[in-house]
Amino acid sequence: MWTEEQWAVIEPKNASSVVVAAPGSGKTTVMTEHLAHVIATGRMPAQRILAMTFTRQAAEHMRQKLRGHERLRTVDVESCAMGTFHGVFFRALLEADRQVYPVLGQREQYALMREAMVDVLGERHAASMYELQSYLTLYSRMIGRREQDELDNKSRRILESYVRKKRALNRWDHDDILLASLHLFQSRSASKIRLF
């Protein structure tokens, strides 16, 4: 049933596992079987397992597959910590008593970026969805970098305006969660952080 490559992921190891593969290749199924195998063989207590994905849908899909697994008890499945990278890190920030802000929705992000573009380019510039997404992608690539020499003056001013607008509203986007988490994990209190 399993390929040799899949079995190499499923069989318990003495280290963390990371699976990188194309969409639809069966990553969730293989990782779910890996988790079930680790728990069922007693290699790791369920409450010590953290599974992170990029989407809530994938995390819920994994949990549903575990719930239906014949080798696992309900208590084991519910003891596993599962979620998105952003969700897990946001919880870590809360548990570390760090200042957190409400996260902008996608429409709000686009609206703020549009306002930032108007600030720099003027009212007459009609920002397309492609331009908005391009600047948000550029922002994601640039956040956390100390040097932004590769940015042209216009782009730098647009991104700075976007950041000011977020701060004025006391709001975060998903990149801010990752950046704040990075700062938390690099701090002296990092050894006390409990992700799950």
Side-chain angles (χ1 to χ4, degrees):
M1 173 176 177
W2 303 106
T3 67
E4 194 174 311
E5 205 172 38
Q6 289 171 325
W7 188 250
V9 174
I10 294 167
E11 193 173 55
K13 311 250 182 321
N14 291 328
S16 300
S17 296
V18 175
V19 176
V20 179
S25 61
K27 292 182 299 291
T28 303
T29 301
V30 169
M31 285 305 298
T32 302
E33 191 61 31
H34 170 74
L35 293 175
H37 195 76
V38 166
I39 296 167
T41 58
R43 297 284 303 246
M44 177 76 60
Q47 60 272 22
R48 301 263 335 248
I49 292 176
L50 170 62
M52 294 192 297
T53 67
F54 287 104
T55 66
R56 282 186 229 145
Q57 180 184 8
E60 187 52 37
H61 181 63
M62 188 177 286
R63 190 172 297 282
Q64 288 300 332
K65 282 179 142 330
L66 283 174
R67 283 181 181 135
H69 202 285
E70 70 278 356
R71 294 176 67 190
L72 299 180
R73 301 172 306 158
T74 302
V75 67
D76 291 329
V77 174
E78 300 308 321
S79 296
C80 292
M82 292 182 192
T84 64
F85 288 92
H86 294 99
V88 169
F89 293 152
F90 195 80
R91 275 193 310 273
L93 290 166
L94 289 172
E95 289 180 16
D97 227 7
R98 295 293 173 105
Q99 178 74 44
V100 296
Y101 298 98
V103 178
L104 294 165
Q106 187 177 40
R107 285 185 182 163
E108 294 171 303
Q109 257 189 298
Y110 284 149
L112 284 184
M113 185 56 78
R114 180 175 280 115
E115 290 175 23
M117 290 176 71
V118 166
D119 286 351
V120 175
L121 305 175
E123 287 286 341
R124 299 186 74 188
H125 182 84
S128 68
M129 286 301 280
Y130 174 78
E131 283 180 297
L132 293 171
Q133 185 60 52
S134 294
Y135 276 112
L136 287 167
T137 300
L138 179 61
Y139 175 73
S140 290
R141 282 190 16 240
M142 298 309 297
I143 192 167
R145 291 188 184 177
R146 300 209 187 287
E147 297 192 20
Q148 299 182 353
D149 294 338
E150 56 195 83
L151 284 179
D152 59 75
N153 187 45
K154 175 185 76 170
S155 297
R156 183 183 47 73
R157 289 174 44 221
I158 289 171
L159 299 185
E160 287 172 351
S161 177
Y162 173 71
V163 169
R164 281 192 306 274
K165 289 179 180 305
K166 284 191 306 175
R167 287 186 181 150
L169 295 171
N170 288 324
R171 300 291 296 276
W172 273 356
D173 59 23
H174 287 90
D175 293 315
D176 293 311
I177 296 171
L178 299 178
L179 188 59
S181 299
L182 176 63
H183 292 151
L184 173 64
F185 297 138
Q186 290 174 338
S187 71
R188 289 182 178 201
S189 59
S191 62
K192 300 174 188 166
I193 298 169
R194 187 176 170 273
L195 290 176
F196 52 97

